Amino acid sequence: MLFNSAGYILLFFPIAATIYFFLNRNRLTIAAKASLVLSSLFFYGWWNPKYVILLLVSLLFNYGIGTVLADENQPFRRKLILVVGITCDVLLLGYYKYADFFLTNASYLSGKQLPLLKITLP
């Protein structure tokens, strides 16, 4: 399912938005946020279910980073955790987006044919 597909525009988005706004209007803000998380997991799982695990691990990691950052008692530790969180996120993105690019360039520079990973960006 793509963002510009009829299934997304006419079915998925209206249902997800209706559930979110209904829960939010009834002051069930945690349930409303949970509905957005579940909708997101369903959306990505529709395309390829194996990436749901990657999304969940990333989500839990970033939630943990955010929880530590919310602690105002240790400013140095907060800066370090922020750097670690951003670095991990950028490395994960870089792996999925640029691994084959770096392997292609390494093959060209070394003169040896390195096999490409053919990773699909989730």
Side-chain angles (χ1 to χ4, degrees), residues 6-61:
Y8 178 82
I9 295 170
L10 300 174
L11 190 65
F12 178 79
F13 180 72
I15 291 172
T18 301
I19 291 170
Y20 171 76
F21 286 117
F22 173 78
L23 292 171
N24 204 28
R25 186 171 5 139
N26 290 318
R27 301 194 196 299
L28 300 169
T29 55
I30 294 175
K33 290 175 186 177
S35 76
L36 288 180
V37 170
L38 293 175
S39 296
S40 178
L41 291 173
F42 176 80
F43 176 76
Y44 284 104
W46 184 270
W47 176 64
N48 196 340
K50 72 179 184 180
Y51 289 125
V52 171
I53 295 170
L54 174 67
L55 188 62
L56 279 171
V57 169
S58 177
L59 185 141
L60 291 172
F61 172 77

XYZ file of all heavy atoms in Angstrom, residues 6-61:
464
model
N -5.286 4.174 -3.934
C -6.707 4.336 -3.599
C -7.038 3.678 -2.259
O -7.839 4.198 -1.487
C -7.571 3.746 -4.705
N -6.424 2.537 -1.980
C -6.671 1.852 -0.708
C -6.265 2.684 0.493
O -6.944 2.692 1.516
N -5.159 3.409 0.354
C -4.704 4.263 1.453
C -5.615 5.484 1.592
O -6.064 5.813 2.691
C -3.258 4.713 1.224
C -2.760 5.641 2.301
C -2.287 5.140 3.492
C -2.810 7.023 2.135
C -1.850 5.979 4.508
C -2.370 7.873 3.137
C -1.894 7.354 4.311
O -1.480 8.188 5.311
N -5.859 6.162 0.474
C -6.604 7.422 0.504
C -8.073 7.213 0.879
O -8.645 7.988 1.651
C -6.488 8.146 -0.853
C -5.030 8.562 -1.094
C -7.407 9.362 -0.916
C -4.752 9.062 -2.498
N -8.679 6.163 0.347
C -10.117 5.973 0.545
C -10.484 5.056 1.703
O -11.617 5.096 2.176
C -10.744 5.436 -0.744
C -10.600 6.335 -1.973
C -11.135 5.630 -3.202
C -11.291 7.665 -1.752
N -9.538 4.244 2.158
C -9.891 3.282 3.195
C -9.016 3.426 4.451
O -9.534 3.731 5.532
C -9.765 1.856 2.626
C -10.313 0.731 3.477
C -11.817 0.868 3.631
C -9.990 -0.602 2.847
N -7.723 3.224 4.300
C -6.853 3.189 5.467
C -6.810 4.524 6.209
O -7.030 4.576 7.416
C -5.435 2.771 5.060
C -4.466 2.766 6.204
C -4.446 1.720 7.110
C -3.589 3.820 6.395
C -3.571 1.718 8.172
C -2.705 3.826 7.460
C -2.699 2.771 8.343
N -6.484 5.611 5.508
C -6.344 6.908 6.166
C -7.631 7.378 6.843
O -7.592 7.805 8.003
C -5.819 7.969 5.191
C -5.656 9.310 5.833
C -4.639 9.545 6.734
C -6.548 10.339 5.564
C -4.488 10.773 7.344
C -6.416 11.566 6.163
C -5.381 11.793 7.058
N -8.795 7.306 6.166
C -10.019 7.746 6.858
C -10.332 6.929 8.111
O -10.763 7.488 9.122
C -11.111 7.569 5.802
C -10.409 7.598 4.499
C -9.060 7.002 4.757
N -10.097 5.630 8.058
C -10.372 4.790 9.232
C -9.410 5.128 10.369
O -9.827 5.325 11.525
C -10.299 3.291 8.871
C -11.470 2.913 7.962
C -10.293 2.426 10.126
C -11.374 1.509 7.387
N -8.119 5.232 10.056
C -7.115 5.543 11.089
C -7.356 6.927 11.684
O -7.284 7.109 12.906
C -5.708 5.453 10.498
N -7.671 7.907 10.847
C -7.907 9.268 11.342
C -9.180 9.326 12.183
O -9.209 10.005 13.220
C -7.998 10.241 10.168
N -10.227 8.631 11.759
C -11.479 8.627 12.515
C -11.278 8.022 13.899
O -11.752 8.571 14.901
C -12.566 7.846 11.745
O -12.760 8.461 10.472
C -13.867 7.819 12.510
N -10.567 6.902 13.955
C -10.313 6.266 15.252
C -9.504 7.201 16.148
O -9.830 7.392 17.325
C -9.596 4.913 15.065
C -10.542 3.906 14.414
C -9.064 4.378 16.395
C -9.859 2.626 13.970
N -8.452 7.812 15.583
C -7.613 8.707 16.372
C -8.406 9.889 16.909
O -8.363 10.185 18.103
C -6.427 9.215 15.541
C -5.671 10.300 16.246
C -4.808 9.997 17.295
C -5.848 11.632 15.911
C -4.124 10.990 17.973
C -5.168 12.639 16.580
C -4.310 12.315 17.603
O -3.650 13.307 18.286
N -9.143 10.576 16.046
C -9.866 11.770 16.490
C -11.020 11.429 17.428
O -11.338 12.190 18.338
C -10.351 12.593 15.297
C -9.238 13.325 14.619
C -8.897 13.050 13.311
C -8.501 14.282 15.301
C -7.858 13.715 12.689
C -7.461 14.959 14.695
C -7.139 14.673 13.377
N -11.649 10.270 17.241
C -12.705 9.842 18.156
C -12.138 9.624 19.562
O -12.692 10.110 20.548
C -13.374 8.561 17.647
C -14.346 7.975 18.615
C -15.619 8.513 18.762
C -13.996 6.889 19.404
C -16.521 7.976 19.677
C -14.886 6.346 20.309
C -16.149 6.887 20.448
N -11.024 8.906 19.632
C -10.409 8.652 20.935
C -9.880 9.938 21.561
O -10.014 10.151 22.770
C -9.279 7.626 20.793
C -9.713 6.211 20.423
C -8.508 5.349 20.099
C -10.540 5.592 21.533
N -9.299 10.795 20.747
C -8.745 12.041 21.256
C -9.847 12.977 21.763
O -9.686 13.648 22.781
C -7.909 12.725 20.168
C -6.874 13.649 20.743
O -6.406 13.436 21.854
N -6.521 14.660 19.990
N -10.979 13.027 21.057
C -12.086 13.882 21.483
C -12.687 13.408 22.802
O -13.169 14.197 23.605
C -13.186 13.922 20.422
C -14.255 14.917 20.816
C -15.318 15.244 19.819
N -15.340 14.533 18.586
C -16.448 14.105 18.010
N -17.617 14.301 18.586
N -16.418 13.490 16.855
N -12.645 12.113 23.035
C -13.159 11.553 24.287
C -12.100 11.522 25.385
O -12.247 10.801 26.375
C -13.717 10.145 24.047
C -14.980 10.201 23.232
O -15.840 11.056 23.449
N -15.096 9.314 22.256
N -11.052 12.297 25.211
C -9.967 12.463 26.185
C -9.244 11.156 26.520
O -8.758 10.973 27.639
C -10.466 13.135 27.452
C -11.078 14.507 27.208
C -11.252 15.266 28.475
N -12.132 16.413 28.424
C -11.979 17.492 27.680
N -10.998 17.567 26.840
N -12.836 18.501 27.737
N -9.173 10.282 25.555
C -8.419 9.037 25.697
C -7.114 9.188 24.900
O -6.876 8.513 23.906
C -9.238 7.854 25.183
C -10.564 7.607 25.896
C -11.414 6.611 25.152
C -10.310 7.137 27.318
N -6.281 10.114 25.368
C -5.110 10.484 24.581
C -4.098 9.342 24.443
O -3.488 9.194 23.387
C -4.412 11.715 25.189
O -4.109 11.453 26.553
C -5.286 12.938 25.090
N -3.929 8.551 25.468
C -2.989 7.428 25.366
C -3.510 6.406 24.361
O -2.756 5.892 23.532
C -2.735 6.794 26.749
C -2.005 7.800 27.642
C -1.942 5.497 26.618
C -1.803 7.346 29.062
N -4.799 6.126 24.405
C -5.388 5.199 23.444
C -5.315 5.769 22.025
O -5.090 5.027 21.065
C -6.837 4.902 23.818
N -5.475 7.084 21.894
C -5.380 7.716 20.578
C -3.973 7.570 20.011
O -3.795 7.239 18.832
C -5.781 9.184 20.677
N -2.968 7.812 20.851
C -1.580 7.654 20.404
C -1.281 6.196 20.079
O -0.579 5.897 19.110
C -0.629 8.180 21.464
C -0.677 9.684 21.611
C 0.200 10.153 22.754
C 0.023 11.645 22.994
N 0.820 12.101 24.146
N -1.804 5.288 20.885
C -1.607 3.862 20.626
C -2.248 3.462 19.302
O -1.697 2.633 18.565
C -2.186 3.031 21.767
N -3.389 4.058 18.974
C -4.033 3.743 17.696
C -3.166 4.195 16.525
O -3.116 3.524 15.490
C -5.426 4.362 17.614
O -5.357 5.756 17.368
N -2.469 5.323 16.677
C -1.560 5.776 15.618
C -0.370 4.830 15.470
O 0.057 4.529 14.356
C -1.065 7.191 15.900
C -2.082 8.309 15.725
C -1.442 9.653 16.030
C -2.661 8.311 14.320
N 0.158 4.349 16.594
C 1.276 3.410 16.541
C 0.830 2.111 15.867
O 1.515 1.588 14.974
C 1.836 3.130 17.952
C 2.831 1.983 17.936
C 2.475 4.389 18.514
N -0.312 1.589 16.262
C -0.814 0.348 15.660
C -1.145 0.538 14.189
O -0.890 -0.360 13.369
C -2.031 -0.151 16.435
C -1.742 -0.624 17.851
C -3.035 -0.982 18.581
C -0.789 -1.803 17.845
N -1.687 1.683 13.836
C -1.971 1.966 12.431
C -0.687 2.008 11.619
O -0.620 1.498 10.498
C -2.707 3.301 12.282
O -3.956 3.254 12.905
N 0.346 2.616 12.176
C 1.635 2.686 11.502
C 2.225 1.291 11.310
O 2.729 0.959 10.232
C 2.591 3.563 12.305
O 3.851 3.602 11.703
N 2.174 0.470 12.349
C 2.687 -0.892 12.246
C 1.918 -1.691 11.200
O 2.506 -2.447 10.419
C 2.626 -1.588 13.604
C 3.583 -1.058 14.659
C 3.298 -1.709 16.006
C 5.023 -1.272 14.249
N 0.609 -1.516 11.161
C -0.203 -2.197 10.151
C 0.176 -1.723 8.751
O 0.303 -2.525 7.824
C -1.700 -1.954 10.410
C -2.585 -2.546 9.359
C -2.886 -3.897 9.383
C -3.105 -1.762 8.342
C -3.694 -4.457 8.405
C -3.910 -2.310 7.363
C -4.202 -3.668 7.398
N 0.353 -0.415 8.583
C 0.687 0.152 7.275
C 2.005 -0.423 6.757
O 2.093 -0.857 5.608
C 0.767 1.681 7.376
C 1.192 2.348 6.104
C 0.296 2.490 5.055
C 2.477 2.832 5.955
C 0.683 3.097 3.883
C 2.872 3.448 4.786
C 1.966 3.585 3.743
N 3.049 -0.426 7.593
C 4.334 -0.964 7.162
C 4.290 -2.481 7.025
O 4.955 -3.050 6.161
C 5.450 -0.532 8.104
C 5.834 0.901 7.868
C 5.436 1.896 8.744
C 6.557 1.276 6.751
C 5.771 3.220 8.519
C 6.885 2.598 6.510
C 6.493 3.561 7.405
O 6.811 4.861 7.166
N 3.522 -3.144 7.853
C 3.380 -4.586 7.761
C 2.638 -5.030 6.516
O 2.854 -6.121 6.008
N 1.787 -4.168 6.011
C 1.041 -4.482 4.784
C 2.004 -4.641 3.616
O 1.841 -5.512 2.782
C 0.047 -3.360 4.494
C -0.834 -3.620 3.330
C -0.605 -3.292 2.028
C -2.108 -4.270 3.350
N -1.646 -3.684 1.245
C -2.587 -4.294 2.034
C -2.884 -4.824 4.364
C -3.804 -4.847 1.696
C -4.099 -5.381 4.026
C -4.542 -5.386 2.707
N 3.037 -3.784 3.581
C 4.010 -3.856 2.492
C 4.927 -5.065 2.656
O 5.118 -5.834 1.730
C 4.825 -2.563 2.430
C 5.900 -2.600 1.403
C 5.737 -2.707 0.049
C 7.300 -2.575 1.633
N 6.953 -2.725 -0.565
C 7.939 -2.647 0.378
C 8.081 -2.486 2.769
C 9.307 -2.633 0.241
C 9.443 -2.463 2.625
C 10.037 -2.535 1.381
N 5.511 -5.218 3.829
C 6.412 -6.331 4.073
C 6.442 -6.611 5.578
O 7.053 -5.858 6.335
C 7.811 -6.006 3.562
C 8.676 -7.231 3.443
O 8.405 -8.251 4.062
N 9.722 -7.137 2.641
N 5.806 -7.685 6.008
C 5.692 -7.968 7.447
C 7.029 -8.103 8.181
O 7.103 -7.831 9.369
C 4.916 -9.285 7.500
C 4.194 -9.364 6.215
C 5.064 -8.659 5.211
N 8.102 -8.484 7.486
C 9.374 -8.670 8.190
C 9.940 -7.345 8.693
O 10.735 -7.335 9.628
C 10.393 -9.393 7.321
C 10.963 -8.596 6.193
C 11.976 -9.417 5.418
C 12.613 -8.568 4.327
N 13.591 -9.311 3.568
N 9.531 -6.230 8.117
C 10.029 -4.939 8.567
C 9.303 -4.420 9.804
O 9.728 -3.430 10.391
C 9.971 -3.911 7.447
C 10.986 -4.164 6.365
C 10.609 -4.286 5.045
C 12.330 -4.307 6.678
C 11.547 -4.529 4.059
C 13.266 -4.558 5.709
C 12.876 -4.663 4.393
O 13.805 -4.903 3.433
N 8.239 -5.072 10.206
C 7.534 -4.665 11.421
C 8.444 -4.864 12.640
O 8.466 -4.028 13.543
C 6.201 -5.432 11.577
C 5.576 -5.183 12.932
C 5.242 -5.041 10.476
N 9.211 -5.935 12.637
C 10.132 -6.187 13.749
C 11.191 -5.089 13.813
O 11.500 -4.570 14.889
C 10.773 -7.582 13.617
C 9.704 -8.663 13.761
C 11.889 -7.775 14.644
C 10.160 -10.046 13.416
N 11.731 -4.718 12.656
C 12.709 -3.629 12.612
C 12.102 -2.334 13.119
O 12.725 -1.609 13.903
C 13.231 -3.442 11.184
C 14.154 -2.265 10.954
C 15.470 -2.462 11.696
C 14.390 -2.069 9.476
N 10.880 -2.055 12.711
C 10.196 -0.839 13.157
C 9.940 -0.871 14.663
O 10.121 0.142 15.352
C 8.885 -0.664 12.395
C 8.139 0.631 12.592
C 8.968 1.813 12.120
C 6.829 0.595 11.828
N 9.543 -2.018 15.192
C 9.303 -2.149 16.632
C 10.590 -1.967 17.436
O 10.589 -1.286 18.469
C 8.688 -3.512 16.952
C 7.197 -3.648 16.723
C 6.772 -5.108 16.878
C 6.426 -2.769 17.676
N 11.675 -2.561 16.976
C 12.956 -2.417 17.683
C 13.386 -0.949 17.664
O 13.803 -0.405 18.696
C 14.031 -3.332 17.062
C 15.415 -2.996 17.592
C 13.694 -4.788 17.312
N 13.267 -0.301 16.510
C 13.621 1.113 16.403
C 12.726 1.967 17.290
O 13.201 2.884 17.974
C 13.520 1.566 14.950
O 13.790 2.927 14.830
N 11.448 1.663 17.303
C 10.491 2.407 18.121
C 10.817 2.270 19.606
O 10.862 3.265 20.330
C 9.078 1.898 17.833
C 7.926 2.603 18.485
C 6.780 2.701 17.491
C 7.456 1.861 19.703
N 11.075 1.050 20.060
C 11.388 0.823 21.472
C 12.723 1.455 21.856
O 12.858 2.008 22.951
C 11.383 -0.670 21.781
C 10.015 -1.339 21.726
C 10.158 -2.856 21.867
C 9.095 -0.780 22.782
N 13.704 1.382 20.966
C 14.997 2.011 21.227
C 14.826 3.519 21.388
O 15.330 4.107 22.348
C 15.969 1.700 20.086
C 17.262 2.454 20.181
C 18.244 2.076 21.080
C 17.492 3.546 19.371
C 19.434 2.773 21.177
C 18.677 4.257 19.458
C 19.650 3.869 20.357
